[in-house]
Amino acid sequence: MKISKKGFHSTSVHGVGERDPLGSVTTPIYQTSTFSFESAEHGAECFAGESDGFIYTRIGNPTIDEFEATIAALENGYNGIAVSSGMAAVNTVFLTYLGSGDHIVCHNTLYGPSRGVLEKTYVKLGIESTFVDTAKINNVANAIQPNTKLIFLETPANPTISISDIEAISKIASKNNIPVCVDNTFCSPYLQNPLDLGADIVLHSLTKFINGHADIVGGIVIPKTKEDYDKLNYTMINFGFNMDPHQAFLVRRGVKTLGIRIDRAQENALKIAEYLDSHPKVEWVKYPGLKSHPQYELGKKQMKGSGSIISFGLKGGLNAGRTLMNHVKFIILAVSLGGIESLIQHPASMTHSKLSKEAKVSGGISDELVRLSIGIEEPEDIITDLEKALEKV
Ligand code: LCS
């Protein structure tokens, strides 16, 4: 019997697939590269798409299928396409919608490699990119060209936490017949559903909130329609971007606690953002839950919570930030985000270091910007660690 879609937490736990016929409460790991056919005719039917039977794990696998359907249900999409990493998800989208002579409009702040791959690799394939501050709607309208084939947003953006209006941008895009893809990594489906706001495709680095335990790298693309699904799935299969069944099992386990992890982490993050905001050594703090965030109202409208990523700058700039990062003892100095453990990193010299100086300046990735990903620990322990490290600054 197929499980019907229920509330967010119920769907995260139970999914929307069939219960296992042998009674396994968790989705079994089908650790196999290939699947046997009942007959030569059955094999031919599977390849012709006339049978639901599995063929080969790069094309489809029951463990991965169940995971994809669960995330698609949480994002209100047609179906999910699980891939080996968040970057594989980004490239599945770029390779599907862009060809020689085409143009893409992007937010000027993206995760470093998402922008870098357009500037270094796609440009060699004859694909032109325009990066604008999509938080200002007019910039999007003005950047559209007759050959624009995709609008690509991160909201909130990594690492500036800039918020773009998905609904307004999707309206402009749809008037021009341009698909909109939103990288929803910073929110996860628990806090934001871009497809409900008019976007056509949503993607995630699963490495972050959705898995949440810093033990796998993965990605997923979820389109709204079957037509887009078929195109994207073709790219995934033929470029070999697929996920592995064991990876799918681990991230599926992470999904079960997604909502409760985020509830706890964002409750902590607000306390830490307020603490930093009131600290005399802190110059500025960017967090969607603070009224000082430039798109505070928009965040309230399109997100169901403020998330747990905070950017801030210290008085004393980069040197002060380095001193802070070298003196935290409980918070871990590491890239990545969205896990149960609090992490701190310096985008200009780490996650976004490969970008050109111009790209960093136009994207607002200043040298003093320090990024915190708040976990589910006791907030007092995080604040005590920051307090002691700030004393050294
Ligand atoms: N999209 C966003 C918004 C990201 O933050 C990342 C990774 C990716 C895509 C790529 O995902 P991956 O291939 O790593 O699964 N962001 C990272 C970060 O900020 N620190 O380390 C990785």
Side-chain angles (χ1 to χ4, degrees):
M1 191 191 75
K2 205 165 152 50
I3 305 158
S4 61
K5 187 177 161 184
K6 298 197 168 56
F8 190 93
H9 299 281
S10 301
T11 302
S12 301
V13 173
H14 294 279
V16 288
E18 306 276 340
R19 287 248 153 91
D20 179 61
L22 299 182
S24 173
V25 171
T26 59
T27 309
I29 310 175
Y30 284 85
Q31 193 71 46
T32 182
S33 57
T34 194
F35 295 82
S36 65
F37 303 125
E38 287 156 22
S39 63
E41 290 76 14
H42 176 230
E45 277 167 24
C46 288
F47 271 92
E50 292 157 4
S51 161
D52 289 340
F54 288 95
I55 299 172
Y56 186 65
T57 283
R58 177 162 48 74
I59 301 172
N61 173 291
T63 314
I64 301 171
D65 267 23
E66 195 278 335
F67 165 68
E68 291 171 329
T70 301
I71 301 293
L74 298 177
E75 279 288 17
N76 302 319
Y78 172 74
N79 198 358
I81 299 162
V83 289
S84 57
S85 68
M87 284 315 299
V90 170
N91 283 301
T92 298
V93 173
F94 289 171
L95 289 165
T96 300
Y97 293 92
L98 303 171
S100 175
D102 291 343
H103 173 245
I104 174 172
V105 176
C106 301
H107 195 322
N108 57 10
T109 345
L110 298 177
Y111 170 56
S114 300
R115 178 166 178 161
V117 80
L118 288 167
E119 291 185 313
K120 292 199 182 89
T121 306
Y122 285 88
V123 71
K124 288 194 283 190
L125 306 176
I127 295 156
E128 190 197 349
S129 315
T130 301
F131 300 93
V132 292
D133 178 4
T134 56
K136 299 193 177 81
I137 299 296
N138 284 348
N139 289 344
V140 180
N142 293 337
I144 291 173
Q145 301 177 179
N147 59 342
T148 306
K149 294 287 160 58
L150 185 65
I151 296 178
F152 187 80
L153 311 172
E154 262 179 32
T155 178
N158 184 359
T160 58
I161 327 285
S162 159
I163 300 175
S164 298
D165 190 332
I166 300 172
E167 197 168 12
I169 292 171
S170 299
K171 276 190 188 140
I172 296 172
S174 114
K175 268 192 208 138
N176 291 276
N177 259 325
I178 304 166
V180 173
C181 177
V182 176
D183 181 334
N184 200 23
T185 299
F186 268 41
C187 279
S188 94
Y190 188 55
L191 296 184
Q192 182 168 269
N193 297 118
L195 301 180
D196 292 349
L197 298 167
D200 302 277
I201 308 134
V202 55
L203 71 82
H204 293 275
S205 164
L206 298 168
T207 321
K208 318 298 179 212
F209 289 99
I210 294 182
N211 181 59
H213 293 75
D215 51 11
I216 63 108
V217 169
I220 194 163
V221 183
I222 308 122
K224 191 152 54 183
T225 66
K226 181 182 185 311
E227 195 190 341
D228 281 320
Y229 174 84
D230 288 343
K231 285 193 272 190
L232 289 157
N233 203 37
Y234 174 90
T235 306
M236 181 281 286
I237 292 170
N238 292 290
F239 277 84
F241 291 154
N242 62 287
M243 178 172 268
D244 172 84
H246 192 249
Q247 210 181 350
F249 174 81
L250 283 174
V251 62
R252 180 68 187 88
R253 182 168 68 169
V255 173
K256 297 182 189 203
T257 54
L258 175 59
I260 58 171
R261 282 187 282 110
I262 291 188
D263 281 339
R264 163 88 187 183
Q266 66 182 0
E267 199 182 299
N268 282 354
L270 180 60
K271 289 188 184 138
I272 285 134
E274 284 169 347
Y275 162 77
L276 288 170
D277 205 32
S278 65
H279 198 286
K281 290 185 181 172
V282 175
E283 180 80 40
W284 58 269
V285 180
K286 200 105 169 276
Y287 178 65
L290 292 182
K291 289 217 170 81
S292 56
H293 189 290
Q295 296 98 29
Y296 174 79
E297 292 302 332
L298 174 61
K300 281 259 169 293
K301 193 178 94 178
Q302 80 180 10
M303 293 159 63
K304 293 168 195 145
S306 303
S308 54
I309 316 294
I310 304 167
S311 285
F312 64 100
L314 295 179
K315 289 176 185 158
L318 176 59
N319 283 340
R322 280 224 171 105
T323 307
L324 172 79
M325 285 183 283
N326 284 332
H327 285 89
V328 288
K329 295 212 160 56
F330 178 65
I331 301 168
I332 302 168
L333 177 58
V335 296
S336 203
L337 56 98
I340 50 178
E341 59 285 298
S342 295
L343 303 179
I344 193 164
Q345 72 113 359
H346 180 238
S349 68
M350 296 174 187
T351 48
H352 294 69
S353 60
K354 301 284 186 297
L355 293 178
S356 66
K357 199 157 188 247
E358 301 75 60
K360 283 187 208 162
V361 170
S362 80
I365 303 153
S366 55
D367 272 349
E368 85 262 21
L369 190 155
V370 174
R371 193 189 72 192
L372 259 178
S373 172
I374 300 299
I376 63 167
E377 306 95 335
E378 266 71 20
E380 301 77 29
D381 291 329
I382 303 168
I383 290 174
T384 304
D385 196 38
L386 286 170
E387 183 79 29
K388 285 194 183 140
L390 280 164
E391 278 169 16
K392 307 279 184 195
V393 172

